Amino acid sequence: MSVAVGNLSTNGSLERAPERGYLLALGDSITQGYVVGQPGGTWPARVSRVLGLDLVNQAIAGHHFDAHTLRGMKLLRENPPAAIVVAYGTNDWSHTASGAELVENMSRYLAKLADRFRDTPIFVLSPVWRADVDEPRACGRTLVWVASILCDECARLGLTFVDGTDLVPADPSLYADGRLHPGLEGARHMAAGVVEKLSEAGLVELLGGDHDGPRARADAQTSLRADAPGRQRELEQAVRTIWRLCQPDGCPWDRVQTHESIKKNMIEEAYEAVDAIEAHDPAHLREELGDVLMQVLLHAQIAANAGEFTFADICRDLDDKLVRRHPHVFGSGVSASDANEVLDIWSKVKLEERKGAADAEGEAPTSLLDAVPRALPSLMQAQKISKKAAACGFDWETTEDVWAKVDEERAEFSNEDRGSEAAAEELGDVLFSLVNVARKEGVDAETALRLSCDKFRSRWSAMEGAARERGAVLENLSHDELEELWAQAKREG
């Protein structure tokens, strides 16, 4: 077979491939992927992806157990594979003249393979289902008998036997030719079954877990960068310290905490971190971020003790979300040239996630605004709610239109009795309208109000200082005197 490459494209990354081991696949046309239609869809290709290995597929269509096929493997022996999977047997059953010859060929082949790759785990698959399984063969034996002999030989040689009978269901639609060769979907079934057996044997865990997923592919790409972070030993130590504090002989305070008892601490620590950011104080920020992390670790340990989830689950879910919501970095066919385009991508992915979750549960999609936590401060809630509604087209044309809405809500507030519940509700509408003015003008209302609070604090402090210089306190000054001090504080900045 000759292969010509007519076009080569990338997803934007030209980083070198990971340095890793390989899977050696030996077998016949089923292993070769004779009629699967996609090289990457064959069962060995799927299995190697899960294991995080390259693939050397040495399958020979129409072949059977033959020790001569193991010649010329010097390079492979000098650089042994991480694992070997052998899938012969179906052609042996079809074409071998006698049962004794079949056993002799099988025994010689497997013994030679085991001898040449003594330190490599070897898995031997018995044949999958065939439509003609009940038809007589020259060897006078059944396909089940072939599997039993394979099992015995594996036990004798210390190889791992994998029963192929149930790897691909006995459904002709899963076979490209309806009888013998698994098609694309059949190959998927076969790969999943093989991976399950390899996992039971401990190989998947030994090789670092399942590598066939968006997270694994993203990490493989990321970890190749020269300055990519490595093991985070300090984080692991912090996780263990929190675990120790929550043990029966740990800290009496930590042991009795619940999600409810410390929930306010999360908010307080987050706000203290924000204060450090606004004060441009890196040392203080470092400390406060540690306190925020401590809250995460505590909640994770409380959940782990209750059998709810672990810190590893939190990290895994976060990594899943980050990779999923950045297809312009880790995916293909999606690009973003600026932050606004990224936000558009982010919003679309989140909408798809919400719809997918609803479809999985067989329920109607959740409300768009359910994603806005009710525990947020009201001003932040208003910002997020108005932004989500506007993204769906529910918005004013111009800022002037929003100011008109502010005037309308202010008039409605003025018509209510002072101090009444209705007045409070109408004032809330005024504030909500003002948040929309900020959004239309590209101003973060939370930041704007925080700046005003800081400014008021500063001026009030200046007024207190000026009053002390006069030998007075603000509480004893008249309204006109207070206004005079306020004007002075404004002039001084």
Side-chain angles (χ1 to χ4, degrees):
M1 178 185 294
S2 63
V3 178
V5 178
N7 181 48
L8 182 65
S9 61
T10 76
N11 64 354
S13 171
L14 292 176
E15 297 167 7
R16 62 187 176 86
E19 295 179 359
R20 55 189 186 180
Y22 67 95
L23 172 71
L24 175 59
L26 301 168
D28 51 33
S29 55
I30 295 175
T31 299
Q32 188 186 59
Y34 174 56
V35 287
V36 170
Q38 297 178 10
T42 65
W43 72 260
R46 292 175 183 273
V47 171
S48 65
R49 283 200 300 272
V50 171
L51 299 179
L53 300 174
D54 288 328
L55 173 65
V56 175
N57 193 335
Q58 293 285 76
I60 306 171
H63 228 67
H64 48 77
F65 285 111
D66 182 353
H68 290 91
T69 62
L70 297 176
R71 294 177 178 174
M73 288 193 172
K74 181 180 179 181
L75 291 177
L76 298 185
R77 292 171 62 189
E78 291 175 351
N79 177 31
I84 298 174
V85 182
V86 183
Y88 283 116
T90 187
N91 289 319
D92 301 75
W93 173 70
S94 298
H95 304 118
T96 307
S98 68
E101 182 183 353
L102 192 157
V103 174
E104 182 181 357
N105 291 341
M106 180 190 301
S107 179
R108 185 182 296 114
Y109 177 91
L110 293 177
K112 192 169 186 177
L113 182 68
D115 179 66
R116 294 198 168 190
F117 296 95
R118 294 183 179 182
D119 298 323
T120 300
I122 300 175
F123 299 84
V124 182
L125 278 58
S126 66
V128 298
W129 174 83
R130 292 177 54 141
D132 57 356
V133 66
D134 295 324
E135 295 180 11
R137 285 297 186 268
C139 64
R141 302 290 188 172
T142 64
L143 203 55
V144 174
W145 176 84
V146 174
S148 68
I149 296 299
L150 265 177
C151 185
D152 292 342
E153 284 298 303
C154 286
R156 183 178 67 84
L157 296 168
L159 312 180
T160 302
F161 172 77
V162 177
D163 186 356
T165 306
D166 298 322
L167 293 181
V168 184
D171 179 356
S173 67
L174 296 176
Y175 293 76
D177 51 14
R179 55 184 293 276
L180 172 61
H181 296 95
L184 188 62
E185 185 63 16
R188 186 186 67 78
H189 277 278
M190 189 167 180
V194 171
V195 168
E196 182 179 352
K197 300 299 182 182
L198 300 186
S199 182
E200 291 173 0
L203 183 66
V204 177
E205 183 177 356
L206 179 67
L207 294 173
D210 186 341
H211 293 72
D212 186 25
R215 285 180 57 240
R217 289 193 291 270
D219 192 56
Q221 177 196 94
T222 303
S223 61
L224 291 173
R225 299 195 171 213
D227 55 349
R231 290 285 300 277
Q232 301 295 308
R233 298 187 184 279
E234 291 78 7
L235 177 59
E236 295 173 9
Q237 286 181 236
V239 170
R240 283 193 292 270
T241 299
I242 293 293
W243 172 85
R244 176 69 180 84
L245 293 174
C246 294
Q247 291 299 293
D249 60 342
C251 171
W253 185 88
D254 289 287
R255 291 201 318 263
V256 299
Q257 297 313 307
T258 66
H259 294 307
E260 286 292 324
S261 69
I262 61 172
K263 64 182 182 183
K264 69 179 187 303
N265 296 6
M266 181 76 78
I267 296 173
E268 291 173 359
E269 300 296 357
Y271 275 123
E272 289 179 10
V274 171
D275 282 341
I277 291 172
E278 294 181 343
H280 303 289
D281 187 343
H284 189 204
L285 175 60
R286 172 178 166 178
E287 177 187 355
E288 295 303 336
L289 289 177
D291 291 341
V292 172
L293 177 59
M294 182 181 73
Q295 297 306 310
V296 175
L297 297 180
L298 270 173
H299 280 285
Q301 190 58 53
I302 291 169
N305 292 343
E308 297 168 343
F309 55 83
T310 67
F311 182 65
D313 294 326
I314 295 173
C315 295
R316 190 179 303 110
D317 291 348
L318 171 62
D319 199 25
D320 273 334
K321 183 186 295 184
L322 289 173
V323 173
R324 188 172 60 247
R325 294 187 178 178
H326 290 81
H328 51 292
V329 177
F330 301 113
S332 59
V334 180
S335 62
S337 58
D338 56 41
N340 289 329
E341 290 185 4
V342 171
L343 292 178
D344 289 341
I345 292 171
W346 186 280
S347 298
K348 290 176 182 176
V349 173
K350 288 173 70 175
L351 286 172
E352 291 171 0
E353 289 173 353
R354 189 181 303 112
K355 183 179 183 301
D359 291 343
E361 296 293 330
E363 301 174 353
T366 56
S367 170
L368 175 71
L369 302 184
D370 286 346
V372 180
R374 295 177 182 273
L376 283 177
S378 297
L379 183 59
M380 294 179 68
Q381 273 199 66
Q383 290 181 131
K384 290 182 176 293
I385 288 172
S386 63
K387 183 177 180 180
K388 286 182 176 293
C392 289
F394 190 67
D395 197 6
W396 290 269
E397 290 285 337
T398 65
T399 305
E400 287 69 26
D401 294 335
V402 192
W403 277 117
K405 184 64 176 177
V406 172
D407 293 338
E408 176 189 325
E409 298 295 353
R410 181 173 180 275
E412 292 180 4
F413 167 74
S414 299
N415 291 331
E416 300 296 341
D417 295 332
R418 295 182 62 184
S420 66
E421 290 186 10
E425 181 179 340
E426 293 300 339
L427 182 59
D429 291 342
V430 173
L431 294 173
F432 194 88
S433 299
L434 286 170
V435 166
N436 280 281
V437 171
R439 177 179 57 77
K440 294 292 283 187
E441 289 297 306
V443 174
D444 182 83
E446 177 73 21
T447 300
L449 185 56
R450 180 180 289 272
L451 290 173
S452 291
C453 290
D454 290 343
K455 182 167 59 178
F456 191 93
R457 285 173 184 265
S458 177
R459 290 176 179 175
W460 188 262
S461 178
M463 290 170 63
E464 290 174 324
R468 281 194 297 271
E469 291 177 359
R470 299 181 183 184
V473 293
L474 296 182
E475 291 86 346
N476 297 331
L477 298 181
S478 67
H479 180 268
D480 289 342
E481 289 172 318
L482 290 173
E483 286 291 345
E484 178 188 346
L485 289 178
W486 179 260
Q488 178 183 333
K490 288 182 67 175
R491 288 194 301 272
E492 294 174 354

